Amino acid sequence: MPGAGAAALAWALLAGALLLLPPPPVLPQPQWRNVSETEAQFNTTYTDWVDANLLHIYAFNHSVRRNRTEGVRVSVNVLSDHKDLPVLFVVRQKEAVVSFQVPLILRGLYQRKYAYQEVSRTLCQPQTKAEVETQHFYVDVSTLSLNASYQLRVTRVENFVLRTNERFSFNATAAQPQYFKYEFPEGVDSVIVKVTSAMAFPCSVISIQDILCPVYDLDNNVAFIGMYQTMTKKAAITVQKKDFPSHSFYVVVVVKTEDEACGGALHYYPLSKNASPDEPMDQHNRQKMLEVMVSPAITSEAYVSSVLFCLSIFLSFYVLTLLIACWEGCRQHKRKGLLSAMDSPSLDTGHSRSIPDSFLGRGYDSYGYGSFGNGSSSSTEGVTDSLGSTEVSYSYVGQEQFKRRTPSAPTRPLSIPMGERSLENVAGRPRLDSLSSVEEDDYDTLADIDYDKNVIRTKKYLCVADLARKDKRVLRKKYQIYFWNIATIAVFYALPVIQLVITYQTVVNVTGNQDICYYNFLCAHPLGNLSAFNNILSNLGYVLLGLLFLLIILQREINYNRALMRNDAHALECGIPKHFGLFYAMGTALMMEGLLSACYHVCPNYTNFQFDTSFMYMIAGLCMLKLYQKRHPDINASAYSAYACLALVIFFSVVGVVFGKGNTAFWIVFSVIHILATLLLSTQLYYMGRWKLDSGILRRILHVLYTDCVRQCSGPMYVDRMVLLVMGNIINWSLAAYGLIVRPNDFASYLLAIGICNLLLYFAFYIIMKLRSGERIKLIPLLCIISTSVVWGFALFFFFQGLSTWQKTPAESREHNRDCILLDFFDDHDIWHFLSSIAMFGSFLVLLTLDDDLDCVQRDKIYVF
């Protein structure tokens, strides 16, 4: 059978091939180690040696009670110097295994290695359900070295369980971390763990971990679980019972191998000349003494009382405003009734009754500014139509009333005599305030109008009537754009900000890294997912007072519109022209400042600081624009150009925060731009906008210098404006020089200081010129100025306390942390929020009521400055 023969041949060939294969190698028999077992005792030092063929096992036992927790600590010291062949220690417990090698190698930045010969570790304590239970644990010692000597000591940890409101001091190193247990007492829902040290370095880490094994207590794993923060001299973490099912937690303290995370210097590595880059460094005795104390945090009742306190403060302003409005309404109603009674003829004599001057407030004749024709404020003969025929030239009646020097050359009286026109002509004119569409450019197209601008705006003495010639509807639309623009900006700005800070807070809660946010941890009260609810609540004042200011403006606008509807002569032709668009923008900006400041304080750090300052820049800019608009309504900046300039300011703020720290080139560029912007703005203000920035600007400058300084030495035509602008340039040039020389780290605050200094300078100039021009300040604005100045003083005191700063590392920032000072809930910065919101509201009221004394003065009698 051929098939059977082929199969037999195949099997024969296979057997021959197997016979030709080499025999398998003989595996060596495993060499068993010698095992040495020792029944060990606590508080006894065991000095022994171990090699590759020897395994030491130390057996320990101790009693564990259900209601009492004792810590056990294993300390070892390897006496031999075999860094490449370390000794391995393995601690076997009931529910956990802890292993570590000695020398212990820990890594720092750039994979630097640090070796530690002495290591101490606290063992994780398993829970027991029995009343008393004896538990065993074993310490195994082994190595691959030929001979390594060591010392082993196991001790019980005294004060392993921390007590409430009791301080406990201890030492720690990078290889000898410490942790302690804390159990929540009955009736305590949250506590604050405070750790302090007299020495800033070495840098350390404080961690709060759940009662789980293993405990992460080394520099390279302490951030794996729980909440943690770096520390120099202070650290504080608020812990809530609801976050720990066992109602207890570990307080872990780890000393870092390097100080760079805490703002310390990073030493040169390697330290010795002949050392290899891969050779570990010995840090010798890098030890830190610390003190820990756990104290109860505030209760839920404190939250409720603090919220009610905050609401009561700011709602009281609503009540006060309502009372003042009612009192003013009753006073006006009483005055109208008395005026009606005086206008009716007497039943006895048939003649009208006279009105005492004391009731009417004595008008304006008492200080000789803008008085009516017969010297009485009740007279209506002297109110002229300042927007009358173009044949009328504009000048002043009685220049001496402005308490300013008069021109030396004789001048023609160009004004209409006070007695020639009456309010009847003014009130009888038809108003053009229809709802038809009117554009501002429609009034500036004719050449004669443009020529008229140049003549009027370049006069030596200007009155408000000269700069209030445009139609009220046009200016109303122009200034309402301020409000609509800032409302649009607020929506588009706030929504991504809210989303971002929610993400920040989520990252903090998930990772437990409390170095992300720069809180005042000694007074940071959590609520829900928010880590510092008190810093958010204190911003409520900005929102409520901003809303109140909007309501006040709305009420004023309604009254003004009613006066226009009944052709009230004072509303038509007297006082500072009423435009409310900028006031609405200011109130909205104040509300947005509160919202964005609250968003910033959700997680304050240098990446979102511009959220807290953006609308501060806007408030400062809008206040300056409003102050300028009062006497220059026709030539004030448009909303588009104003917000474009503010956007540029915010852009520089962000660039300065990110790139400006220690960057000389940035400070040079910014200082040059600052000085150029100051010069351009000064020119714009001095010439009332009647100049052009074109190719011939240098030729015109040289011509003015030649004619005014070389050919004849003449002083400035507009002395008051020149004084203001010279002072403004001195201050701004000084600030630019300060920034260039000092280069402050907090660029955003430096930029805000520039805006505030310019605002205060202009406001002081306005007040001085108002009084110098013979005007007066009524009681309400005077009280607002005084009280607001006092509140600003206290507010700035609390602002400069500096409870945290993102200009430093988080650990260094915590050195500035302080306890709460109001209701055990609010800190110094919260009081700054309270007072600054009140001060801003008062400042807005000052701007609103400052010129109320001119409501009965003709606009061609109100001086422009």
Side-chain angles (χ1 to χ4, degrees):
M1 299 176 59
L9 180 61
W11 282 107
L13 292 174
L14 178 61
L18 292 174
L19 291 175
L20 293 176
L21 290 175
V26 179
L27 296 176
Q29 294 295 326
Q31 184 177 1
W32 299 103
R33 285 183 173 181
N34 296 323
V35 179
S36 172
E37 296 187 6
T38 303
E39 291 291 334
Q41 302 295 324
F42 283 82
N43 300 320
T44 301
T45 301
Y46 295 91
T47 303
D48 212 331
W49 62 273
V50 68
D51 59 17
N53 298 321
L54 180 63
L55 172 65
H56 273 302
I57 300 178
Y58 297 87
F60 295 86
N61 63 79
H62 66 124
S63 299
V64 179
R65 292 176 175 82
R66 184 175 60 185
N67 297 326
R68 182 181 177 185
T69 303
E70 289 184 347
V72 176
R73 190 167 179 84
V74 177
S75 302
V76 298
N77 181 15
V78 174
L79 306 177
S80 303
D81 189 12
H82 298 288
K83 296 180 181 179
D84 53 340
L85 296 173
V87 179
L88 180 64
F89 294 84
V90 180
V91 182
R92 294 177 286 124
Q93 298 177 262
K94 178 181 178 181
E95 297 179 1
V97 175
V98 178
S99 64
F100 54 90
Q101 68 177 44
V102 182
L104 179 64
I105 305 297
L106 297 176
R107 294 185 179 271
L109 288 176
Y110 314 114
Q111 296 301 311
R112 300 181 180 207
K113 296 180 181 179
Y114 300 93
Y116 301 91
Q117 296 291 122
E118 298 183 22
V119 180
S120 297
R121 304 288 296 276
T122 303
L123 303 184
C124 183
Q125 294 301 304
Q127 300 294 323
T128 179
K129 296 182 179 180
E131 188 68 29
V132 180
E133 179 183 353
T134 300
Q135 293 186 357
H136 302 269
F137 66 93
Y138 304 90
V139 180
D140 302 346
V141 185
S142 62
T143 185
L144 294 180
S145 175
L146 296 178
N147 191 342
S149 59
Y150 63 90
Q151 291 180 340
L152 171 67
R153 182 181 179 87
V154 177
T155 57
R156 290 184 173 89
V157 180
E158 297 182 2
N159 300 313
F160 180 71
V161 178
L162 299 175
R163 296 180 177 87
T164 306
N165 289 327
E166 290 188 13
R167 299 179 182 272
F168 177 68
S169 300
F170 59 94
N171 293 329
T173 68
Q176 298 174 353
Q178 298 267 17
Y179 67 84
F180 306 94
K181 183 179 180 181
Y182 181 80
E183 299 174 349
F184 281 94
E186 290 294 330
V188 176
D189 295 326
S190 64
V191 294
I192 179 169
V193 180
K194 302 177 183 178
V195 184
T196 58
S197 176
M199 49 198 304
F201 299 106
C203 179
S204 56
V205 178
I206 311 303
S207 175
I208 303 297
Q209 301 180 20
D210 201 357
I211 305 296
L212 296 173
C213 296
V215 177
Y216 297 95
D217 59 350
L218 292 177
D219 185 23
N220 55 10
N221 62 18
V222 68
F224 287 179
I225 192 174
M227 301 178 290
Y228 64 93
Q229 57 183 230
T230 54
M231 170 192 165
T232 52
K233 291 185 177 182
K234 287 182 183 179
I237 300 179
T238 301
V239 186
Q240 301 184 80
K241 182 189 289 187
K242 65 181 182 63
D243 297 330
F244 297 92
S246 62
H247 295 171
S248 58
F249 57 87
Y250 286 135
V251 179
V252 184
V253 180
V254 178
V255 175
K256 294 184 69 66
T257 57
E258 296 170 338
D259 297 330
E260 192 271 342
C262 294
L266 189 62
H267 298 289
Y268 178 72
Y269 177 86
L271 296 178
S272 59
K273 295 182 179 179
N274 300 325
S276 170
D278 295 331
E279 182 179 351
M281 283 197 309
D282 187 0
Q283 292 189 317
H284 305 291
N285 188 24
R286 184 178 166 84
Q287 180 174 284
K288 188 167 188 175
M289 177 173 286
L290 304 105
E291 185 178 76
V292 61
M293 185 179 73
V294 183
S295 55
I298 62 174
T299 61
S300 57
E301 289 78 9
Y303 281 84
V304 175
S305 61
S306 300
V307 172
L308 294 178
F309 170 79
C310 186
L311 288 174
S312 62
I313 288 179
F314 299 111
L315 291 181
S316 63
F317 283 88
Y318 282 77
V319 176
L320 181 61
T321 303
L322 184 61
L323 293 177
I324 293 176
C326 294
W327 173 76
E328 184 68 19
C330 293
R331 193 169 67 91
Q332 292 292 341
H333 182 72
K334 183 178 179 181
R335 174 178 293 184
K336 290 180 181 179
L338 186 56
L339 286 173
S340 301
M342 292 301 109
D343 289 339
S344 60
S346 174
L347 296 178
D348 299 331
T349 63
H351 299 286
S352 298
R353 301 179 179 89
S354 62
I355 304 175
D357 287 343
S358 59
F359 176 76
L360 293 174
R362 298 190 60 82
Y364 294 88
D365 57 319
S366 59
Y367 56 90
Y369 179 73
S371 59
F372 295 151
N374 60 359
S376 172
S377 63
S378 61
S379 172
T380 60
E381 295 178 357
V383 180
T384 63
D385 186 6
S386 62
L387 295 181
S389 172
T390 57
E391 298 176 0
V392 179
S393 299
Y394 288 84
S395 181
Y396 297 97
V397 175
Q399 291 284 346
E400 70 281 355
Q401 294 179 356
F402 291 98
K403 299 183 181 178
R404 304 185 53 81
R405 72 172 187 263
T406 58
S408 57
T411 57
R412 283 189 308 168
L414 299 178
S415 61
I416 299 175
M418 296 293 291
E420 292 184 4
R421 302 178 64 188
S422 66
L423 282 175
E424 296 176 358
N425 297 329
V426 175
R429 290 190 309 165
R431 303 304 302 167
L432 300 177
D433 292 337
S434 65
L435 298 177
S436 61
S437 176
V438 182
E439 296 296 334
E440 185 178 358
D441 294 339
D442 294 345
Y443 292 85
D444 297 330
T445 56
L446 299 179
D448 58 339
I449 296 296
D450 190 69
Y451 176 77
D452 193 42
K453 282 183 184 178
N454 289 314
V455 171
I456 292 175
R457 297 181 190 176
T458 54
K459 292 193 308 182
K460 188 169 185 178
Y461 297 104
L462 281 172
C463 60
V464 170
D466 296 329
L467 299 179
R469 298 164 57 84
K470 293 181 180 178
D471 189 273
K472 294 182 178 62
R473 295 169 300 163
V474 178
L475 295 181
R476 184 183 304 165
K477 292 180 63 176
K478 174 182 178 180
Y479 293 124
Q480 282 296 333
I481 295 176
Y482 274 95
F483 168 69
W484 291 113
N485 277 9
I486 201 171
T488 305
I489 292 170
V491 172
F492 282 94
Y493 197 99
L495 291 179
V497 167
I498 294 173
Q499 183 179 7
L500 179 63
V501 296
I502 290 175
T503 303
Y504 268 124
Q505 185 67 72
T506 303
V507 170
V508 171
N509 295 340
V510 172
T511 64
N513 183 5
Q514 298 204 353
D515 283 353
I516 297 176
C517 306
Y518 287 72
Y519 303 117
N520 175 18
F521 287 91
L522 291 176
C523 187
H525 303 297
L527 181 66
N529 291 326
L530 299 174
S531 299
F533 172 70
N534 54 304
N535 294 148
I536 299 171
L537 175 65
S538 59
N539 288 281
L540 185 63
Y542 296 106
V543 179
L544 292 180
L545 294 182
L547 178 61
L548 176 59
F549 185 74
L550 291 178
L551 295 176
I552 293 174
I553 298 302
L554 179 62
Q555 187 264 344
R556 279 217 168 196
E557 186 178 24
I558 291 173
N559 291 342
Y560 178 68
N561 290 335
R562 288 175 179 173
L564 293 179
M565 292 293 293
R566 61 176 182 265
N567 289 332
D568 185 275
H570 290 166
L572 293 172
E573 306 298 341
C574 295
I576 299 296
K578 302 294 190 297
H579 301 291
F580 301 97
L582 270 170
F583 281 130
Y584 282 119
M586 290 162 55
T588 305
L590 184 59
M591 295 179 66
M592 288 306 302
E593 170 59 29
L595 175 62
L596 293 180
S597 178
C599 290
Y600 164 72
H601 284 90
V602 170
C603 182
N605 57 66
Y606 89 100
T607 59
N608 60 8
F609 183 67
Q610 65 270 18
F611 302 162
D612 193 25
T613 56
S614 295
F615 276 83
M616 289 185 183
Y617 302 136
M618 289 195 174
I619 290 174
L622 291 172
C623 288
M624 281 190 281
L625 286 170
K626 185 59 192 178
L627 207 54
Y628 187 77
Q629 182 208 51
K630 282 177 172 289
R631 313 255 171 170
H632 312 78
D634 283 0
I635 61 173
N636 204 15
S638 67
Y640 306 111
S641 58
Y643 287 129
C645 293
L646 292 173
L648 190 62
V649 171
I650 295 174
F651 170 78
F652 274 107
S653 173
V654 175
V655 173
V657 169
V658 177
F659 302 107
K661 189 174 183 179
N663 192 333
T664 305
F666 168 81
W667 281 101
I668 292 175
V669 172
F670 175 77
S671 299
V672 171
I673 294 176
H674 182 191
I675 292 173
L676 290 177
T678 302
L679 292 175
L680 291 175
L681 183 60
S682 300
T683 307
Q684 176 74 15
L685 295 177
Y686 185 77
Y687 290 105
M688 294 285 187
R690 310 314 300 163
W691 71 289
K692 293 182 180 180
L693 183 62
D694 53 19
S695 58
I697 183 67
L698 293 178
R699 178 176 54 81
R700 294 194 297 272
I701 291 175
L702 293 175
H703 178 72
V704 170
L705 292 176
Y706 175 73
T707 55
D708 291 354
C709 300
V710 178
R711 291 185 58 184
Q712 59 179 3
C713 186
S714 60
M717 183 175 180
Y718 313 110
V719 179
D720 296 325
R721 271 180 263 170
M722 179 59 70
V723 171
L724 169 65
L725 295 175
V726 167
M727 293 179 61
N729 276 268
I730 291 174
I731 290 176
N732 282 277
W733 285 52
S734 301
L735 289 171
Y738 171 81
L740 188 59
I741 296 172
V742 179
R743 284 175 285 181
N745 292 329
D746 191 354
F747 179 78
S749 297
Y750 166 77
L751 196 60
L752 183 61
I754 293 175
I756 293 176
C757 288
N758 283 276
L759 174 60
L760 292 177
L761 173 64
Y762 189 31
F763 182 74
F765 172 82
Y766 192 95
I767 294 292
I768 293 172
M769 291 303 301
K770 180 178 176 67
L771 298 176
R772 186 166 176 255
S773 299
E775 300 173 16
R776 65 188 179 93
I777 301 176
K778 297 182 73 174
L779 179 61
I780 290 181
L782 182 61
L783 292 177
C784 287
I785 291 174
I786 296 174
S787 59
T788 300
S789 300
V790 173
V791 175
W792 268 124
F794 283 105
L796 292 174
F797 169 78
F798 287 103
F799 175 77
F800 287 113
Q801 295 304 305
L803 302 181
S804 62
T805 171
W806 45 262
Q807 299 298 326
K808 300 180 180 180
T809 63
E812 291 174 311
S813 172
R814 276 185 279 273
E815 293 182 19
H816 303 278
N817 288 177
R818 278 188 275 185
D819 293 323
C820 305
I821 62 173
L822 179 62
L823 302 178
D824 289 330
F825 192 83
F826 299 109
D827 60 16
D828 298 74
H829 198 74
D830 295 324
I831 297 178
W832 149 256
H833 287 159
F834 291 148
L835 296 180
S836 63
S837 61
I838 296 172
M840 285 187 185
F841 176 70
S843 302
F844 289 1
L845 291 181
V846 170
L847 290 178
L848 179 64
T849 61
L850 185 59
D851 289 315
D852 283 355
D853 60 303
L854 305 177
D855 284 346
C856 296
V857 179
Q858 298 169 248
R859 288 172 188 163
D860 55 1
K861 302 294 186 298
I862 302 176
Y863 187 59
V864 171
F865 42 79

